[in-house]
Amino acid sequence: MNKKEWTPTIQNKKAELPPIPSLGDEVLVDIRISSKDVKRQFEYLIGKHPRFMVKQAKYEDVLKPELIIIEPDYDHYSTFSYINSVRTHDTGPEIFLTAFQPDMNFMVEALRAGVRELFLQPIQDQEVWDALDRCAARLHARNNSSDKKMGKENH
């Protein structure tokens, strides 16, 4: 049997697949924010942090984020339904929310859904950086814990 190298194709034509970046210790972040200025500010802040990388659209179905930052829809039900769908178990991504003027019911529902951080708009840079540091520490501890459960040692 001849060994043949696999060639990606789209509709029987040779295609180029986007290279998947090596994340190493970086945390992949999916930003789901509709306000352009707020989204741009989060992209800037995440880009400046040495442990985080913004997920590019071309990797939508390839790479799973470890952090999702969401700006809720007008219909909070759809936002919390989405959060519950991705937070089905302890190893799901961390969730951060940002909102302009959340009411008390919204904040209680966010806590119930497992949201780790809530940023009031306008966004304060230092508050985001501090939250990213806390997130990185939690993810590092979680990853070390799962490595130990699987019998791996980190040296």
Side-chain angles (χ1 to χ4, degrees):
M1 182 174 177
N2 280 346
K3 281 195 171 184
K4 193 174 174 184
E5 188 175 316
W6 178 76
T7 305
T9 61
I10 298 176
Q11 296 180 349
N12 296 325
K13 295 180 183 174
K14 189 173 180 177
E16 289 292 319
L17 294 178
I20 298 173
S22 172
L23 296 179
D25 286 337
E26 288 184 314
V27 175
L28 192 62
V29 181
D30 188 4
I31 301 176
R32 296 176 174 259
I33 297 175
S34 56
S35 304
K36 289 181 182 179
D37 290 339
V38 175
K39 183 176 183 174
R40 200 172 309 130
Q41 185 175 6
F42 271 103
E43 288 172 339
Y44 171 79
L45 294 171
I46 291 164
K48 290 290 187 187
H49 197 288
R51 293 287 313 278
F52 291 83
M53 182 174 87
V54 175
K55 181 178 177 183
Q56 302 300 313
K58 62 185 172 183
Y59 302 116
E60 187 62 34
D61 296 325
V62 179
L63 298 172
K64 299 294 179 205
E66 291 181 275
L67 170 62
I68 302 174
I69 303 175
I70 302 170
E71 182 179 45
D73 298 328
Y74 291 109
D75 173 20
H76 295 166
Y77 177 78
S78 64
T79 300
F80 290 115
S81 292
Y82 172 74
I83 291 170
N84 289 327
S85 73
V86 298
R87 295 269 318 145
T88 55
H89 45 69
D90 290 338
T91 60
E94 289 216 358
I95 306 292
F96 289 2
L97 284 179
T98 179
F100 185 66
Q101 291 180 336
D103 60 24
M104 186 59 77
N105 290 336
F106 175 84
M107 293 193 297
V108 168
E109 192 63 33
L111 287 172
R112 286 184 183 146
V115 171
R116 290 299 226 159
E117 303 280 349
L118 174 63
F119 304 105
L120 300 179
Q121 295 173 14
I123 303 300
Q124 303 299 315
D125 293 0
Q126 191 60 50
E127 185 180 340
V128 173
W129 279 321
D130 292 345
L132 291 172
D133 288 341
R134 288 189 296 271
C135 176
R138 284 189 300 267
L139 291 171
H140 180 74
R142 183 171 80 182
N143 290 341
N144 282 345
S145 172
S146 66
D147 284 350
K148 286 180 183 177
K149 285 179 184 176
M150 294 173 56
K152 297 177 184 176
E153 296 259 341
N154 252 353
H155 294 287

